[in-house]
């Protein structure tokens, strides 16, 4: 085996054949990512999301984007299922855990996002779209006096309106400003990711893929790729996957790559 896998071993100054520590470290990380993508792919979606929400709460502020990702990219029934699973797994609600763990200005937004049960029909009232785009514009304009995430009207719009409605608010905002809402929210990453996941999810997915497949990605950024591949379904991912197929082939190795490509191919059908 050592002769057949010579890259795993090296000789030291005493000509002693030993593990190549750098290769072994990479191998351990690859096996961990392999396990993670398999487990996440096979777990019931409700349990999977409940456990991801719990883990992100434990990690703190740096992982609040996972809460945003789950609450804003799932359907109303999928999110309700995750909340039910959270009850069963942890004997309390995700809402009470969020409210007790998060102390900053993001608490109101995140609690409202996880509690949402959005209308998913085709009807949108244009008058509301115009007035709410204006509300966004005013909140961003006055962000030097009050953070946008602390604006009650912005939180209400993002946490109660249908995704179709929000996409039209996003488009309407472009008529009021020479920048998009996302460009305006560059300094408020959590709110920016909320708008991305609700209004332009492909923008969010593309950024996560790009960062994870870069040469200097950290472990959390690589985990984000695993999470997206294992949890996202449907058309929103197809264009993103096509864009990064070559980089996945180049950057990802071994059994982890085989599972990753397999899951992506299944979702791309």
């Amino acid at each position: 085996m050592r002769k057949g896998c010579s890259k795993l071993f090296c000789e030291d100054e005493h000509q002693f054949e030993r593990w190549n520590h750098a290769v072994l470290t990479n191998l351990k990380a690859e096996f961990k990512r392999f396990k993670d993508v398999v487990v996440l792919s096979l777990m019931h979606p409700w349990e999977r999301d409940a456990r991801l929400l719990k883990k992100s709460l434990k990690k703190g502020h740096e992982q609040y984007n996972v809460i945003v990702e789950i609450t804003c990219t799932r359907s109303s029934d999928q999110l309700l299922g995750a909340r039910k699973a959270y009850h069963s797994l942890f004997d309390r609600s995700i809402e009470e855990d969020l409210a007790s763990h998060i102390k900053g200005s993001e608490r109101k937004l995140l609690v409202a996002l996880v509690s949402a049960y959005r209308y998913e029909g085709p009807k949108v009232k244009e008058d509301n779209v115009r007035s709410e785009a204006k509300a966004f514009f005013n909140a961003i304009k006055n962000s030097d006096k009050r953070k946008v995430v602390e604006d009650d009207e912005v939180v209400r719009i993002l946490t109660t309106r249908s995704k179709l409605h929000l996409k039209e608010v996003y488009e309407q905002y472009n008529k009021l400003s020479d920048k998009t809402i996302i460009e305006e929210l560059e300094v408020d990453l959590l709110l920016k990711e909320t708008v991305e996941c609700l209004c332009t999810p492909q923008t969010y997915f593309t950024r996560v893929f790009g960062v994870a497949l870069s040469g200097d990605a950290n472990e959390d950024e690589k985990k984000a790729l695993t999470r997206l591949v294992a949890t996202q379904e449907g058309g929103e991912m197809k264009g993103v996957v096509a864009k990064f197929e070559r980089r996945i082939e180049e950057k990802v190795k071994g059994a982890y790559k085989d599972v990753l490509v397999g899951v992506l191919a299944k979702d791309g059908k």
Side-chain angles (χ1 to χ4, degrees):
M1 180 180 175
R2 285 198 303 274
K3 289 177 181 179
C5 306
S6 58
K7 289 182 180 179
L8 299 178
F9 305 91
C10 60
E11 287 188 356
D12 62 18
E13 65 271 19
H14 305 295
Q15 295 185 318
F16 179 75
E17 190 175 47
R18 59 182 175 79
W19 278 109
N20 184 326
H21 182 70
V23 173
L24 183 60
T25 299
N26 289 336
L27 195 61
K28 286 180 178 178
E30 180 192 312
F31 285 157
K32 175 69 165 58
R33 287 191 286 272
F34 170 75
K35 183 205 77 172
D36 288 346
V37 73
V38 170
V39 170
L40 286 175
S41 297
L42 295 179
M43 199 181 299
H44 191 290
W46 295 358
E47 179 184 359
R48 177 196 65 206
D49 284 348
R51 292 191 182 280
L52 286 171
L53 287 166
K54 182 69 172 178
K55 191 172 183 179
S56 67
L57 267 179
K58 285 184 176 180
K59 289 240 180 175
H61 190 274
E62 63 186 33
Q63 288 288 295
Y64 288 171
N65 66 303
V66 179
I67 301 171
V68 167
E69 180 186 306
I70 291 172
T71 57
C72 296
T73 63
R74 304 298 190 260
S75 70
S76 294
D77 284 336
Q78 287 170 337
L79 183 56
L80 180 61
R83 289 162 62 194
K84 289 179 178 179
Y86 199 98
H87 289 184
S88 296
L89 292 168
F90 307 116
D91 295 319
R92 52 190 176 272
S93 73
I94 178 61
E95 292 91 339
E96 66 181 295
D97 273 359
L98 275 170
S100 61
H101 282 78
I102 301 173
K103 305 300 182 185
S105 55
E106 303 96 343
R107 177 163 61 182
K108 184 182 290 186
L109 173 68
L110 293 175
V111 171
L113 282 174
V114 83
S115 306
Y117 192 86
R118 300 176 191 274
Y119 166 69
E120 294 178 340
K123 295 182 179 180
V124 174
K125 292 185 177 180
E126 293 302 324
D127 288 347
N128 289 339
V129 168
R130 286 190 290 271
S131 67
E132 290 175 359
K134 184 66 174 176
F136 252 103
F137 181 82
N138 290 334
I140 291 171
K141 181 181 176 182
N142 297 318
S143 59
D144 57 328
K145 300 173 184 174
R146 180 177 60 181
K147 290 181 180 179
V148 181
V149 74
E150 295 175 352
D151 188 287
D152 289 342
E153 195 65 356
V154 167
V155 172
R156 178 191 66 79
I157 295 165
L158 289 175
T159 59
T160 63
R161 292 301 192 185
S162 72
K163 292 177 184 178
L164 182 60
H165 178 100
L166 290 170
K167 287 176 181 178
E168 295 206 15
V169 169
Y170 184 87
E171 293 299 325
Q172 182 66 31
Y173 186 93
N174 294 340
K175 299 176 183 179
L176 303 174
S177 173
D178 56 357
K179 292 183 178 180
T180 67
I181 296 177
I182 290 172
E183 290 170 337
E184 299 273 26
L185 295 173
E186 202 63 46
V187 297
D188 192 333
L189 184 59
L190 194 72
L191 200 57
K192 173 187 171 183
E193 290 177 339
T194 301
V195 174
E196 281 181 339
C197 288
L198 288 167
C199 303
T200 60
Q202 281 199 340
T203 304
Y204 175 80
F205 299 153
T206 298
R207 189 173 71 254
V208 171
F209 266 70
V211 171
L213 294 171
S214 66
D216 57 352
N218 62 38
E219 196 57 34
D220 281 340
E221 289 163 345
K222 291 176 181 178
K223 285 179 180 179
L225 173 63
T226 300
R227 186 180 65 248
L228 277 190
V229 169
T231 63
Q232 294 297 327
E233 301 173 354
E236 297 289 3
M237 283 285 286
K238 288 181 182 178
V240 178
V241 171
K243 188 182 297 184
F244 288 97
E245 276 179 339
R246 185 173 177 180
R247 284 174 67 181
I248 290 171
E249 287 290 336
E250 292 172 351
K251 298 286 186 181
V252 185
K253 307 297 181 185
Y256 174 60
K257 181 177 80 171
D258 294 340
V259 175
L260 206 64
V261 171
V263 174
L264 289 171
K266 179 198 71 174
D267 288 343
K269 291 180 180 178

